[in-house]
């Protein structure tokens, strides 16, 4: 490939000709000409456009605005185009089948490095370059991801849509990214399903399969609901549908389908489900500090029914990403209860964002909670479990997918090519304990299909310390440890996973305190926020955080209450940048990010105040 610069006219600041591959034929020559208009607008004229314009990104710069000027309705994307250095490139798709295309860039200084680094290309390399990319957790190929959206199962495929920024690994330009899986643990990446448009960002929402053709697009259509968010229009609910199993979507021409009756600013994340007793659809929308319930017969016209939640759960908190599921209690199909999942930000015990749930009854119009407002029930006791919602159309199964991060630091964690992964999909169920009803979240059964070779360590007693030199040969940092601990005289039953540098995660049950703890204080890189740029903070401010101390807020231990028992079963999943613990089949789940500089490959059990027994210890490579 050869590049040349030339002057074309007085207003044109330069031209970049790119000869593509076997370019003996003149017509395949692609050329960029830069035209400066005033101080803050540059138009790039591209002749014989390639598939992509590769945009150089510098994360710690303000955003510039990029759009295809020749589009009938140009939609500007906010992109942190390089001014002084290039952190990575992202592809910007150019219209196909055109001889000439004009791309408009606003708010990028004339001397920005970007002008030299822009590239035309027919390909974009998505090979992994990130040492923290998980081995078995879902992540986007590149770019930013937050909440799981529109989860739906249809014709043997699980569709995972997600909040996605294809133009950089920080929050912005919300699209619905799209991946599909047949087994919930191996994912195929598809093109984004819904792109930011003139109504705004495509915020979170849900999907249903319209089996009875209530919306009129045909039986079996996937109908999706999302919030369009913009400064101009506020937060309004919109609809899109797909008649080809999610491969393409059409946005409803009369969007929005629902706006807040009181002009509420925070009104988003519609969850739609079928309420069989009344043969109607129900939509739950998070409305600042409460949830609002609407009903519809055709998925297009919605009627307000009720509001619930003000003053319930942790206070103060902002409600986001609702879900509502009806589940048998203790597996009894004759005793069912409704669980309203409410993600709150901030409000997490340990700072930032977390997932609560409320158990109660729903009569098709109103939710009534079993507990007093001050009762708080957490679906996960770690710090990196948020925006958890469930698949629709899964029959008797209720499968939830969390976003594995926290708004306090999601934008600045030490990954680059991508930011954020989903935690393992979890099967939800209800159980009773001490006369109250709680929700368990266990890793889905399909997770077992990830297991490769295993290693069993025969039962042993821990009087003081018991050291296992190497967990796995050639450890890539992705494994599962199944443990059964038989309580003896010990007060503390502990396990440290660590690497040769001593970086570790310390997991222990303290019986006097009745706590299960996961301490990541010395887990590896924990102070990544200390020199984070104002622009990183700006991106995360936009998601409504106040001041935080990144170091203290990341380097911490999280804990969950445990009851005294004879034995405890722990299932611990470790991946390149996460540890998930499931205690006793998911009655307690705890999800935390970690950034060790090399994988933890050793473990040491320790006891305090007496002896306990490890009656089962199995390590699986995943
Ligand atoms: C939750 C959330 C949602 C919103 C989305 C925007 O993490 O704030 O309420 O729809 O993220 O990306």
């Amino acid at each position: 490939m050869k590049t040349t610069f030339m002057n074309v006219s007085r207003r044109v600041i330069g031209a970049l000709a790119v000869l593509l591959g076997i370019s003996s034929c003149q017509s395949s020559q692609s050329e960029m000409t830069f035209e400066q208009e005033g101080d803050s607008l540059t138009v790039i004229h591209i002749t014989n456009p390639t598939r992509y314009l590769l945009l150089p990104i510098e994360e710690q710069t303000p955003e510039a605005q990029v759009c295809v000027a020749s589009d009938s309705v140009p939609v500007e994307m906010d992109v942190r185009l390089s001014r002084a250095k290039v952190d990575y490139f992202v592809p910007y798709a150019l219209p196909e089948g055109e001889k000439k295309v004009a791309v408009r860039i606003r708010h990028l200084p004339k001397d920005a490095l970007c002008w030299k680094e822009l590239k035309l290309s027919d390909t974009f390399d998505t090979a992994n370059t990130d040492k923290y990319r998980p081995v078995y957790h879902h992540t986007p190929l590149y770019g930013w991801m937050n909440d799981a959206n529109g989860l739906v199962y249809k014709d043997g495929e699980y569709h995972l849509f997600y909040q996605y920024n294809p133009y950089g690994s920080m929050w912005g330009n919300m699209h619905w990214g799209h991946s599909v899986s047949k087994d919930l643990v191996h994912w195929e990446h598809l093109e984004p399903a819904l792109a930011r448009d003139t109504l705004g960002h495509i915020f979170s929402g849900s999907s249903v399969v319209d089996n009875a053709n209530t919306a009129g697009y045909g039986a079996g259509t996937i109908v999706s609901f999302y919030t369009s968010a913009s400064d101009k229009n506020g937060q309004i609910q919109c609809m899109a549908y797909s008649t080809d199993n999610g491969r393409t979507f059409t946005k409803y021409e009369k969007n929005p389908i629902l706006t807040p009756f009181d002009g509420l600013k925070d009104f988003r994340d519609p969850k739609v489900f079928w309420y069989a007793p009344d043969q109607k659809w129900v939509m739950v929308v998070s409305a600042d500090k409460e949830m609002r319930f609407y009903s519809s017969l055709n998925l297009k016209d919605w009627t307000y029914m009720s509001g619930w939640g003000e003053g319930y759960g942790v206070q103060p908190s902002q409600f986001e990403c609702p879900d509502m599921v009806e589940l048998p209690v203790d597996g009894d199909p004759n005793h069912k209860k409704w669980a309203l999942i409410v993600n709150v930000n901030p409000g997490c015990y340990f700072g930032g964002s977390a997932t609560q749930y409320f158990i109660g009854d729903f009569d098709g119009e109103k939710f009534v909670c079993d507990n007093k407002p001050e009762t708080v029930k957490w679906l996960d006791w770690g710090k990196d479990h948020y925006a958890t919602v469930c698949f629709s159309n899964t029959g008797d199964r209720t499968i939830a997918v969390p976003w594995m991060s926290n708004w306090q630091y999601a934008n600045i964690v030490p990954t680059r090519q991508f930011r954020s992964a989903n935690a393992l999909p979890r099967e939800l169920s209800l159980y009773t304990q001490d006369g109250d009803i709680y929700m368990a979240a266990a890793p889905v059964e399909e997770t077992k299909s990830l297991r490769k070779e295993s290693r069993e360590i025969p039962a042993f007693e821990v009087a003081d310390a018991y050291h296992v030199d190497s967990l796995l040969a050639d450890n890539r940092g992705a494994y599962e440890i199944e443990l059964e601990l038989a309580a003896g005289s010990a007060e503390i039953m502990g396990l440290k996973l660590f690497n040769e540098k001593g970086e570790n995660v310390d997991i222990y049950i303290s019986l006097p305190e009745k706590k299960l703890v996961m301490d990541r204080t010395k887990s590896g890189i924990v102070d990544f926020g200390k020199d984070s740029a104002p622009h990183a903070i700006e991106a995360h401010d936009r998601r409504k955080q106040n001041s935080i101390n990144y170091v203290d807020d990341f380097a911490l231990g999280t804990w969950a209450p445990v009851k005294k028992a004879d034995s405890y079963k722990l299932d611990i999943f470790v991946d390149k940048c996460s540890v998930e613990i499931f205690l006793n089949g998911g009655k307690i789940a705890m999800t935390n990010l970690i950034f060790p500089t090399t994988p933890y490959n050793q473990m040491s059990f320790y006891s305090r105040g007496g002896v306990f027994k490890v009656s089962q210890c199995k390590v699986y490579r995943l």
Side-chain angles (χ1 to χ4, degrees):
M1 189 158 76
K2 191 177 123 203
T3 58
T4 50
F5 286 87
M6 58 184 144
N7 280 326
V8 177
S9 82
R10 258 192 321 133
R11 290 178 62 217
V12 171
I13 57 173
L16 173 64
V18 182
L19 299 174
L20 284 174
I22 21 140
S23 61
S24 49
C25 142
Q26 269 305 101
S27 65
S28 66
Q29 182 168 320
S30 301
E31 189 178 271
M32 286 193 276
T33 317
F34 299 84
E35 184 186 356
Q36 184 80 36
E37 289 187 11
D39 275 350
S40 64
L41 171 64
T42 304
V43 181
I44 310 171
H45 297 280
I46 305 173
T47 317
N48 295 323
T50 48
R51 220 168 140 202
Y52 304 115
L53 176 61
L54 300 186
L55 306 176
I57 304 295
E58 179 180 352
E59 289 204 332
Q60 304 194 353
T61 58
E63 293 164 333
Q65 281 66 45
V66 181
C67 70
V68 176
S70 37
D71 276 355
S72 51
V73 190
V75 181
E76 288 194 325
M77 298 295 158
D78 303 316
V79 189
R80 294 171 194 277
L81 292 172
S82 296
R83 295 183 180 207
K85 71 175 173 106
V86 180
D87 290 328
Y88 49 83
F89 284 85
V90 293
Y92 185 77
L94 296 171
E96 285 172 41
E98 308 280 331
K99 281 257 163 273
K100 282 182 190 297
V101 165
V103 172
R104 202 169 71 196
I105 299 190
R106 291 198 303 128
H107 299 134
L108 185 67
K110 286 180 212 158
D111 60 351
L113 180 63
C114 170
W115 303 119
K116 291 206 186 85
E117 292 287 341
L118 282 166
K119 290 184 186 38
L120 288 167
S121 173
D122 277 326
T123 55
F124 176 67
D125 187 3
T126 56
N128 185 40
T129 57
D130 209 304
K131 83 176 207 182
Y132 290 119
R133 184 181 292 276
V135 172
Y136 59 91
H137 287 86
H138 173 262
T139 62
L141 275 179
Y142 63 92
W144 162 271
M145 176 177 84
N146 55 291
D147 318 353
N149 296 150
L151 301 176
V152 61
Y153 178 72
K154 180 157 188 273
D155 295 341
E157 276 182 335
Y158 292 93
H159 294 265
L160 166 52
F161 303 98
Y162 51 87
Q163 288 288 277
Y164 183 45
N165 183 6
Y167 304 116
S169 300
M170 294 167 87
W171 187 88
N173 305 311
M174 285 298 107
H175 287 47
W176 273 22
H178 189 192
S179 295
V180 288
S181 171
K182 290 189 173 14
D183 63 2
L184 291 163
V185 285
H186 298 92
W187 295 95
E188 182 193 342
H189 296 96
L190 302 181
E191 286 300 306
L194 298 169
R196 178 179 180 183
D197 58 28
T198 47
L199 279 183
H201 294 276
I202 312 291
F203 271 17
S204 293
S206 58
S207 300
V208 296
V209 179
D210 185 12
N211 285 319
N213 192 20
T214 60
Y217 300 118
T221 300
I222 295 179
V223 185
S224 300
F225 301 86
Y226 59 92
T227 303
S228 276
S230 67
D231 291 344
K232 189 164 145 237
N233 303 312
Q235 300 189 345
I236 52 184
Q237 315 319 316
C238 293
M239 189 182 103
Y241 59 92
S242 169
T243 53
D244 58 0
N245 278 354
R247 269 40 184 195
T248 57
F249 276 85
T250 307
K251 288 173 182 158
Y252 178 46
E253 68 281 4
K254 294 193 186 135
N255 277 334
I257 50 165
L258 182 65
T259 55
F261 51 73
D262 51 0
L264 202 62
K265 202 169 114 294
D266 291 297
F267 183 65
R268 58 178 176 270
D269 310 338
K271 169 71 193 191
V272 174
F273 63 91
W274 179 245
Y275 185 71
D278 292 355
Q279 292 290 293
K280 69 181 183 190
W281 297 103
V282 172
M283 182 191 284
V284 193
V285 186
S286 57
D288 199 5
K289 294 179 173 35
E290 65 166 359
M291 293 300 179
R292 288 185 185 165
F293 293 81
Y294 298 79
S295 72
S296 173
L297 296 178
N298 63 5
L299 292 169
K300 295 170 181 163
D301 304 306
W302 293 91
T303 310
Y304 176 76
M305 297 193 294
S306 61
W308 179 87
E310 183 93 49
Y312 274 79
V314 70
Q315 298 294 322
S317 71
Q318 164 87 56
F319 281 12
E320 296 186 321
C321 300
D323 206 329
M324 269 276 278
V325 287
E326 194 185 24
L327 286 163
V329 179
D330 298 320
D332 178 357
N334 299 317
H335 181 206
K336 288 190 170 178
K337 278 291 203 181
W338 283 90
L340 176 57
I341 295 175
V342 177
N343 291 279
V344 290
N345 178 49
C348 178
Y349 244 27
F350 312 108
S353 18
T355 307
Q356 286 182 103
Y357 62 91
F358 299 90
I359 305 294
D361 296 311
F362 182 63
D363 63 0
E365 287 191 11
K366 282 193 178 67
F367 178 75
V368 178
C369 185
D370 282 358
N371 296 103
K372 295 207 175 93
E374 54 274 21
T375 307
V376 177
K377 294 178 179 175
W378 298 110
L379 192 52
D380 189 284
W381 293 81
K383 195 167 167 170
D384 298 299
H385 175 283
Y386 193 55
T388 302
V389 285
C390 305
F391 281 96
S392 67
N393 206 36
T394 47
D396 287 343
R397 297 185 71 183
T398 302
I399 304 163
V401 178
W403 169 48
M404 191 156 56
S405 198
N406 188 307
W407 278 118
Q408 277 190 330
Y409 43 67
N411 273 287
I412 50 164
V413 295
T415 61
R416 260 289 155 79
Q417 189 183 14
F418 75 97
R419 270 208 187 84
S420 293
N422 294 105
L424 282 174
R426 291 148 194 221
E427 190 102 28
L428 303 183
S429 61
L430 298 181
Y431 66 97
T432 41
Q433 185 174 290
D434 302 331
D436 202 359
I437 300 174
Y438 294 89
M439 192 181 256
V444 290
E445 196 58 25
E446 288 87 338
T447 310
K448 294 205 170 108
S449 71
L450 293 169
R451 292 174 176 174
K452 308 216 166 64
E453 77 263 22
S454 66
R455 168 172 180 210
E456 183 149 11
I457 299 163
F460 53 91
E461 286 205 333
V462 186
D464 181 21
Y466 184 99
H467 186 77
V468 180
D469 261 349
S470 157
L471 288 180
L472 292 166
D474 181 30
N475 180 6
R476 289 186 304 149
Y479 49 88
E480 176 190 350
I481 307 172
E482 262 190 322
L483 287 176
E484 189 163 338
L485 310 181
S489 54
E491 294 191 331
I492 292 184
M493 303 187 275
L495 158 68
K496 270 189 192 178
L497 296 172
F498 59 100
N499 61 19
E500 61 276 11
K501 294 183 180 165
E503 295 164 354
N504 68 78
V505 159
D506 187 1
I507 298 166
Y508 60 90
I509 293 174
S510 164
L511 293 169
E513 290 176 294
K514 299 203 182 72
K515 277 181 178 176
L516 165 69
V517 181
M518 182 182 343
D519 187 339
R520 67 176 175 191
T521 318
K522 301 192 179 95
S523 55
I525 305 175
V526 294
D527 60 351
F528 47 81
K530 73 173 183 300
D531 42 37
S532 76
H535 307 296
I537 294 168
E538 167 215 308
H540 113 353
D541 261 354
R542 210 189 297 187
R543 304 299 325 128
K544 304 175 303 329
Q545 294 295 306
N546 301 317
S547 66
I548 65 159
N549 176 339
Y550 296 98
V551 182
D552 290 350
D553 275 300
F554 190 83
L556 85 176
T558 67
W559 62 268
V562 292
K563 294 182 81 70
K564 231 180 161 59
D566 292 341
S567 68
Y568 300 88
K569 275 194 169 171
L570 290 167
D571 204 353
I572 303 171
F573 288 85
V574 180
D575 204 340
K576 296 275 187 180
C577 62
S578 60
V579 179
E580 288 159 280
I581 305 181
F582 299 94
L583 176 75
N584 297 339
K587 286 188 173 164
I588 295 289
M590 194 181 284
T591 305
N592 283 315
L593 291 175
I594 40 127
F595 298 100
T597 53
T598 62
Y600 310 134
N601 194 33
Q602 298 176 47
M603 66 178 167
S604 245
F605 291 86
Y606 63 90
S607 74
R608 300 276 181 274
V611 180
F612 71 96
K613 188 170 171 189
V614 179
S615 41
Q616 203 205 350
C617 178
K618 238 176 163 180
V619 184
Y620 302 89
R621 179 195 302 281
L622 301 184

